[in-house]
Amino acid sequence: MQAKFVEDQIIKESYSAIERLRQRLLGVSPRYYIETYGCQMNEHDSEKIAGMLESVGYVPAVSKNDADLILFNTCCIRDHAEKRTFGNVGFVKELKQNNPALITAVCGCMMQQREVAKRLASRFPFVDLVFGTNELHIFPQMLEKVMDGGRVFEIKDIEGEIAEGLPIKRNEGFSTFVNIMYGCNNFCSYCIVPYVRGRERSRRAEDIVAEVRHVVEAEGFTEVTLLGQNVNSYDDNGIKFPELLRRVNEIEGLRRLRFMTSHPKDLSHELVMAMAECDKVCPHIHLPVQSGSNRILQLMNRRYTREHYLDLVKDLRENVQGIEITTDIIVGFPTETDEDLNDTLDLVRKVGYSAAYSFAYSVRPGTKAASMDGQIPEEIKKQRLALLNEVILESVNGANDKYIGTEDEILIEGVDTRGEPMLFGKLGCLKMVYVKGDESLIGTYHRARITGTRFNSLVGELMD
């Protein structure tokens, strides 16, 4: 669908609210704490909320116990995430009793489900602010109402609009996220995302390039990940994702460019060649397969076959040097048989993933799969998930051996203090490498020689 943008006047009103709040909080410096669940999209939304909070004078709190404002940014992709959120929101009740001035808020995908949001608001009357995924740009106005003594419940059922120009407080480091699109049109039968994030809307390519250039030149980030529910279907008036990658790749100072997530049905040869030809695009792709069974893929409404998926893998491996592929896999989907599971295990062995995020199917009310016959008992789901994880581990460990003796550049990200302290960093292909070195090297790029393996990762030594 054609992207709709929030009117400039509404953004101006948000900045007016920010200024009023800033004047109100002069000399106070209240503390905020954001707890984020779910995907990188949610993480980036939390960065925007933090940006608005810091614009009015809030500072980060060390923990919920120290905060003057606590916000939960929720996920609804699996049932476990919802239960965890309700439990953690309930914990805040005692904090609110001890500090009646504490502001509590819950937002995100789970709250976009209106009935769930109503249930939460009713069960936890101490929650001051509840809002969905389409109200981020009016957060300052909602916060102002809460500070004036009101309780705000704001969830729109309309399709979301794209808001440009919001403040962002990015997580400290050297790698950051940039949204290129929002929403999803695929309606996989197990997935709630299209119902809580809306239909696909692509940002303007010029805005994306400008934001990436800003975070590189003004904020010092050297690695950027472009985000979207399905980046492969990005379309800004004919500018498709391969062209966007090429434009971003030209930005000076950018060292590494990543993206996620890619839907297999929309992965084109043009994108494969853009990955191959753009020197800053990392040789890694997250390509969720979900199942290796054609019958289950059809029931999932994934709109590709295992054969097509394997052809994509072949195209990637033939053209993108050193590429690693990661994936998502669901077991226990309704009516799944042992034969279907074996098809999935066979595909995992054929592809040789470098990592896989595996899940037992979780019923999401409102999706087509929730009402399907043939729901699999939980015990069988657990057994199948354990078997899948064994095969994934074999695949990952087998793929790691080929790195021993090779040399490549890693971006050092931090230090692991379990046992003997070791620095850790990622290769361009996303493989984690552990090396000895001083903490002053965190955030820098260094060549390393791979000398061995460690669990699912690699061990090496710095060369410079």
Side-chain angles (χ1 to χ4, degrees):
M1 64 177 289
Q2 183 66 36
K4 295 191 298 182
F5 292 83
V6 175
E7 296 177 5
D8 289 343
Q9 181 57 38
I10 296 177
I11 298 298
K12 289 179 181 178
E13 290 171 4
S14 295
Y15 272 94
S16 295
I18 285 174
E19 179 58 24
R20 290 192 299 270
L21 288 167
R22 192 181 69 81
Q23 293 294 331
R24 186 172 185 165
L25 296 174
L26 275 177
V28 180
S29 298
R31 294 159 296 184
Y32 72 92
Y33 187 89
I34 300 176
E35 191 157 291
T36 306
Y37 306 95
C39 67
Q40 291 85 354
M41 283 287 213
N42 274 18
E43 290 182 38
H44 193 42
D45 283 350
S46 291
E47 290 181 332
K48 294 175 182 176
I49 295 169
M52 288 182 272
L53 286 171
E54 296 201 10
S55 293
V56 307
Y58 276 84
V59 296
V62 175
S63 70
K64 289 193 283 284
N65 294 325
D66 302 319
D68 300 294
L69 181 150
I70 299 172
L71 182 140
F72 296 91
N73 189 358
T74 63
C75 171
C76 62
I77 198 71
R78 302 179 69 232
D79 181 57
H80 173 72
E82 290 192 10
K83 292 178 180 176
R84 183 182 176 195
T85 296
F86 270 73
N88 288 339
V89 172
F91 167 78
V92 176
K93 180 178 181 179
E94 184 176 346
L95 297 179
K96 184 81 168 182
Q97 289 172 339
N98 295 333
N99 177 18
L102 172 67
I103 295 175
T104 56
V106 187
C107 68
C109 295
M110 190 172 99
M111 294 302 95
Q112 191 60 35
Q113 299 172 284
R114 183 176 290 273
E115 292 306 314
V116 177
K118 286 181 178 179
R119 191 165 72 247
L120 180 137
S122 175
R123 180 173 171 182
F124 303 119
F126 56 85
V127 173
D128 304 295
L129 171 59
V130 176
F131 61 101
T133 58
N134 298 321
E135 290 75 48
L136 214 59
H137 59 282
I138 60 169
F139 177 71
Q141 294 93 312
M142 295 187 291
L143 180 59
E144 195 173 28
K145 291 179 182 178
V146 170
M147 286 187 173
D148 287 335
R151 192 183 190 212
V152 177
F153 185 95
E154 190 74 37
I155 299 171
K156 296 179 182 177
D157 293 327
I158 62 172
E159 292 294 343
E161 298 172 309
I162 295 177
E164 297 286 357
L166 295 176
I168 301 175
K169 172 60 170 65
R170 298 180 186 275
N171 293 329
E172 293 183 2
F174 23 81
S175 181
T176 193
F177 301 124
V178 171
N179 276 116
I180 68 168
M181 61 189 300
Y182 303 87
C184 182
N185 288 352
N186 290 306
F187 291 92
C188 300
S189 63
Y190 54 83
C191 186
I192 197 70
V193 167
Y195 304 98
V196 296
R197 285 282 182 181
R199 304 299 292 273
E200 288 176 356
R201 295 96 68 200
S202 296
R203 293 180 65 196
R204 291 180 288 254
E206 61 193 74
D207 292 333
I208 296 166
V209 172
E211 183 176 346
V212 175
R213 182 174 287 113
H214 173 80
V215 301
V216 171
E217 295 178 353
E219 301 188 43
F221 290 96
T222 60
E223 180 179 271
V224 170
T225 301
L226 305 179
L227 291 181
Q229 250 78 38
N230 177 17
V231 294
N232 294 350
S233 59
Y234 173 85
D235 187 353
D236 173 30
N237 293 316
I239 300 174
K240 301 297 180 67
F241 188 53
E243 173 61 21
L244 178 67
L245 270 188
R246 294 182 186 277
R247 294 188 183 190
V248 176
N249 188 73
E250 295 175 358
I251 295 174
E252 291 187 15
L254 178 66
R255 293 282 294 267
R256 287 182 174 178
L257 180 58
R258 302 186 185 277
F259 59 87
M260 65 186 314
T261 296
S262 291
H263 196 298
K265 78 175 180 62
D266 297 313
L267 177 59
S268 65
H269 181 68
E270 289 74 19
L271 176 55
V272 174
M273 296 314 297
M275 294 181 67
E277 295 164 4
C278 292
D279 61 317
K280 297 171 185 175
V281 175
C282 292
H284 163 255
I285 189 168
H286 188 68
L287 195 64
V289 67
Q290 305 301 4
S291 176
S293 162
N294 283 336
R295 189 182 71 84
I296 295 297
L297 287 172
Q298 185 174 16
L299 289 174
M300 289 179 166
N301 193 36
R302 292 292 286 175
R303 289 178 281 178
Y304 56 83
T305 63
R306 64 177 280 131
E307 291 78 16
H308 177 65
Y309 186 93
L310 290 171
D311 285 342
L312 294 175
V313 170
K314 181 181 179 183
D315 194 13
L316 286 161
R317 295 209 188 280
E318 287 181 349
N319 290 288
V320 184
Q321 184 177 0
I323 192 168
E324 290 286 5
I325 302 171
T326 56
T327 197
D328 298 333
I329 304 175
I330 297 171
V331 295
F333 190 81
T335 76
E336 182 187 62
T337 64
D338 289 341
E339 183 179 357
D340 295 320
L341 177 65
N342 287 333
D343 284 345
T344 297
L345 301 181
D346 176 69
L347 184 138
V348 169
R349 294 186 180 102
K350 279 185 166 66
V351 174
Y353 295 108
S354 63
Y357 301 91
S358 56
F359 307 93
Y361 168 71
S362 179
V363 175
R364 298 287 75 209
T367 62
K368 186 175 180 179
S371 60
M372 286 182 179
D373 294 332
Q375 299 289 330
I376 306 297
E378 290 299 320
E379 188 58 36
I380 294 178
K381 289 182 189 178
K382 291 179 182 178
Q383 293 171 3
R384 291 178 178 176
L385 183 60
L387 183 57
L388 171 63
N389 287 337
E390 287 180 12
V391 175
I392 291 171
L393 186 59
E394 292 172 5
S395 174
V396 171
N397 289 339
N400 281 344
D401 291 340
K402 69 177 179 288
Y403 286 94
I404 297 176
T406 64
E407 301 172 5
D408 207 343
E409 187 177 68
I410 63 172
L411 168 56
I412 299 175
E413 300 181 352
V415 59
D416 185 347
T417 57
R418 295 172 296 179
E420 180 185 6
M422 296 279 282
L423 298 177
F424 60 84
K426 290 191 182 75
L427 297 168
C429 66
L430 209 67
K431 279 289 184 183
M432 186 69 75
V433 182
Y434 290 83
V435 295
K436 291 182 180 180
D438 189 85
E439 289 186 33
S440 62
L441 298 178
I442 293 173
T444 62
Y445 294 81
H446 290 272
R447 289 192 68 79
R449 179 183 293 109
I450 308 304
T451 58
T453 62
R454 172 181 175 177
F455 304 115
N456 300 335
S457 304
L458 306 171
V459 177
E461 55 187 20
L462 296 179
M463 299 177 60
D464 50 355

